[in-house]
Amino acid sequence: MSALVLAQHDGGRLEAATLNTVTAAGKLAEAVDVLVAGRAVEQVAREAARVAGVRRVITAEADHLAHPMAEDLAPLVVQQAEPYTHLLAPATTFGKNVMPRVAALLDVAQISDIVEVLGPDRFRRYIYAGNVLTTVESRDAKKVITVRTTAFPPAQAEGGAAEMVAVEAPPATGLARFVGREVHRSERPELTSARFVVSGGRGLGSKENFRLVEELADALGAAVGASRAAVDAGFAPNDWQVGQTGKIVAPELYIAVGISGAIQHLAGMKDSKIIVAINKDEEAPIFQVADYGLVADLFKAVPELTEAIRKLKANPGA
Amino acid sequence: MKILIPIKRVVDANVRVRIRSDGSGVETEHLKMAMNPFDEIAVEEAIRMKEAGSAEDLVAVSIGGPRTPETLRTALAMGADRAVHVLVEGEVQPLEVAKLLRAVVEREQPRLVLMGKQAIDDDSNQTPQMLAALLGWAQATYASRIRLEGEELEVAREVDEGIEVVRVRLPAVVSVDLRLNEPRYASLPNIMKAKRKPVATLTPAELGVDVTPRLVYTRFEEPPGRKAGVKVASVQELVEKLQAEGVFG
Ligand SMILES: Cc1cc2nc3c(=O)[nH]c(=O)nc-3n(C[C@H](O)[C@H](O)[C@H](O)COP(=O)(O)OP(=O)(O)OC[C@H]3O[C@@H](n4cnc5c(N)ncnc54)[C@H](O)[C@@H]3O)c2cc1C
Ligand SMILES: Nc1ncnc2c1ncn2[C@@H]1O[C@H](COP(=O)(O)O)[C@@H](O)[C@H]1O
C-alpha cells in the first residue's frame, strides 16, 4: 500500500493541514509520498521532504500552476496516481475542490472528510451535520479521500529526509483562471489550528460590537470565529465561519459569545476540549454542550472577562 | 442561455434525524422534507439571471424516489420553467448522481449548471466537481457572487483564506454557497401555476447509467456525546475554573 498526499501550500510554505493529512496517510500505507504543485515551489518541496514519514516528494512546476485551479491540478494528480492505493488531501476548501474531480476522472467514489481510519478501506465520517457517525467501506481499487484535519495530529515537520523528484505537469486546460484573492490578513493564530478560539454570534448585534469578541481573543492569544448569522449580517468575514458549512475547529478552549448553538454551528466546534458559552438566554442549546456556561449579558460579561485575562497575563502569580 | 439546476430532496435542515434502532441506517420516514438549502440558492440565482435577461430556459432536475416531484414543484413555483425527475429508489451516491446529471446535460445541452455546494444529508460536497470532471468543463465552487461576462463567468468563491475570484469559460458548473443570495418564497399564484409546468420522468436505464453504490455504509452511530457541564455565577468564577483547567499556562 502506498499513499499520495496532495500538498496544500501558499507558494512559500507548506500549510499545516498537509501535516495532518500525512498522519492520516501514514495510517493507511507504509509509503507516503507528497505531491507539490506550483510555480517555483522548491522551498515548499524541501519543507515537505523534511516532514517525518514522507518517502518521496514529487514536484511539478509550471507557470499555469502558480495559483493552481482544480481543472489543472486534477489531471496532474491523475497522471501521478497509478502506483498508489490511496490519494489524499485535507478537507479544506482547497482539497474539497480538487479531489472529487480527481475521483471522477479515475471513476472511483470519494470518501469525504474522514475522521478515523479503521483499515485500508474502512473509515469513519459524519453525516447530517455531525448528528450521525458512520462507518463506510470502499470497494474501489483506489481510494480518494479528504481528511478532517482536526481529527489527526500533525506529522512532525522535521526529521524526515525524503527523496525528491521532479515531474512535468500536463499542459494548462485553459478552462479557468485565477483573477485575485481578497485575503483577510491577521496577526492572529490560524482558526483551524489555534489553541484557543473565541467566536461571536448574532448576539453581538453589529460589526462595531464584534470588536468585543476580537479584544477577548487578543487578550487570550486566540483565533476569532463566528456563527453563520454573524457572517451573514456582515459582523465578520466569511472565512471566520465555524460550522457544517464553514470551518471545523477543535481547540483546547472554545468560547462562544452570543451564539445560540444551532446544530450546524455545533458541527464545527463540538470536538473542542473545553467549551465556554456566554449567553443571556439560559435555555440556549449551546449550554447543552458547554463545560462552563455563563448566563449573562455579553456586553457586560465579555469586557469583564477580557480585563480579568489581561490582568492575569500581566501578573501571572496573582 | 439554458441553465440546468440539480436539486436534492433532503430532510429539512431544522429536523433532527434519528438512527434506526437496529443501527442499519438513518430513519427518514415521516420526516419533513425540503429542497436542500444550497439548491434553493442555486434556483434563486438562476431565476435572477433570467430576470436580468441573461438566461431563458431554467430546467430543474432531481434524482430520487417517487415523491421527488414535490420538491421539483417547489423549484417550479419559485420560477423554474420545467423539471426532470430521474426516478431511482434508494440511495444514489455522488459519482452516480454526477453520471446521471451528465446524461441529462447531454440531452438538454445547457450552458450552465448551477447547483448547491453540498447536500446537508450526506455532507459530501462532491457532485458538482465530479460532474464538471465528467463533462470536461470548468468548475467554480462555493460561489458567493456570479457575473456573466460574454463567454465567461467571473465568480467570487468563499475559500478558507477569504474570497478568491476566478474566471471560468462557459459551459461550466457552478456550485453555490450560502451568501450568494436570499432565496424567495413561492407566492400562492405561482404555486398554482407550477402545477401546470411540465415534469418529465426518466430512469437510470434510459440514461444508461449504473447507479449501484460504490461505498457501503456499514454502521450508523450516535456521535460521542458531550455532557452539559456547570453553570458559573460570575466572570470571576469562570476565570477560576479556567485557571484550574490550566488554560492560562
Ligand atoms: C444549510 C445550512 C448550513 C448552515 N451552516 C452553518 C454554519 O456552518 N455555521 C453556523 O454557525 N451556522 C450555520 N447555519 C445557521 C444555523 O442554523 C443558525 O442559524 C446560526 O448558527 C445562528 O447563529 P447565532 O447563534 O449567531 O444566532 P442566533 O441563533 O440568533 O443566536 C443569537 C444568540 O445570542 C444571544 N444573545 C443576544 N443578545 C445577547 C446579549 N446581549 N448577551 C448574551 N447573549 C445574547 C441570544 O440569546 C441567542 O442565543 C446553517 C444553516 C443552514 C440551513
Ligand atoms: N439526488 C440528487 N438529485 C439532484 N441533485 C443532486 C442530488 N444529489 C446531489 N445533488 C446536487 O449536488 C450538490 C452537492 O451534493 P453532494 O455532493 O451530495 O454534497 C447538491 O447541492 C445538489 O445540487
Side-chain angles (χ1 to χ4, degrees), chain A residues 71 107 124 247 272 292, chain B residues 99 139 160 221 226 245:
Chain A
E71 292 81 348
D107 192 28
R124 291 175 116 187
K247 288 181 177 157
S272 305
Y292 302 109
Chain B
K99 288 180 178 178
Q139 67 183 50
D160 291 338
E221 296 162 74
R226 272 194 95 98
E245 295 264 13

Side-chain angles (χ1 to χ4, degrees), chain A residues 14-31:
Chain A
L14 209 55
E15 304 276 357
T18 309
L19 300 177
N20 309 92
T21 310
V22 166
T23 299
K27 293 182 183 291
L28 288 163
E30 303 84 54

Side-chain angles (χ1 to χ4, degrees), chain A residues 25-86:
Chain A
K27 293 182 183 291
L28 288 163
E30 303 84 54
V32 176
D33 295 353
V34 174
L35 175 60
V36 178
R39 179 177 65 192
V41 284
E42 197 191 310
Q43 208 181 319
V44 181
R46 287 190 187 288
E47 202 184 332
R50 290 197 303 272
V51 174
V54 176
R55 175 183 69 174
R56 181 180 300 146
V57 174
I58 302 167
T59 308
E61 292 187 317
D63 281 343
H64 70 270
L65 296 177
H67 295 281
M69 300 280 100
E71 292 81 348
D72 292 319
L73 268 183
L76 170 64
V77 178
V78 170
Q79 175 202 66
Q80 296 301 316
E82 211 274 314
Y84 300 100
T85 51
H86 297 80

